[in-house]
Amino acid sequence: MSGAESFVPTPMMLSDSARKRLQALIAEEGKPGLKLRVYVTGGGCSGFQYGFDFAEDVAEDDALIEFGEVALVVDELSYQYLVGSTVDYEEGLAGARFLVQNPNATTTCGCGASFMV
């Protein structure tokens, strides 16, 4: 990179395991335009909780963050809590799930599904 170019960090990241799982789920659905919607709602044991859903449509105020063949969609309200986060996917004794590694969270619950800022 030359001195004239500036680096703009990606507002959210997607781990390799999350990317692979998302690609597999999209292939299973047979809808290449599907995106993973990541959102924050009130509740959970720490104040806010993460949610995941598939989205075919992107609203005007949604952030669309593309990673090659796959993309994340985040609504305007949730975006402020998720900037700098990484969406990951894990399989373990507790089952398989998407999760958010959020540097903005000051407290998280034991299961990692809720947080406080």
Side-chain angles (χ1 to χ4, degrees):
M1 229 190 290
S2 72
E5 296 177 40
S6 63
F7 175 73
V8 178
T10 303
M12 290 180 68
M13 295 301 301
L14 189 65
S15 73
D16 287 340
S17 61
R19 183 181 323 213
K20 288 175 186 169
R21 183 60 182 150
L22 189 51
Q23 287 172 329
L25 290 169
I26 290 169
E28 285 174 24
E29 291 292 319
K31 297 180 180 179
L34 282 181
K35 298 154 186 61
L36 182 64
R37 180 172 291 281
V38 184
Y39 57 92
V40 173
T41 59
C45 43
S46 294
F48 294 103
Q49 59 187 2
Y50 302 111
F52 301 94
D53 198 1
F54 277 120
E56 290 188 71
D57 300 318
V58 178
E60 190 175 305
D61 61 346
D62 282 341
L64 175 64
I65 307 159
E66 297 179 304
F67 301 92
E69 301 172 11
V70 298
L72 299 177
V73 177
V74 183
D75 65 86
E76 186 176 32
L77 185 61
S78 299
Y79 186 81
Q80 63 187 323
Y81 298 109
L82 295 169
V83 169
S85 296
T86 299
V87 175
D88 197 5
Y89 178 79
E90 69 176 14
E91 294 181 13
L93 295 175
R97 64 185 178 145
F98 284 102
L99 60 110
V100 176
Q101 297 169 354
N102 189 342
N104 304 307
T106 58
T107 304
T108 59
C109 67
C111 67
S114 67
F115 69 103
M116 182 181 300
V117 289

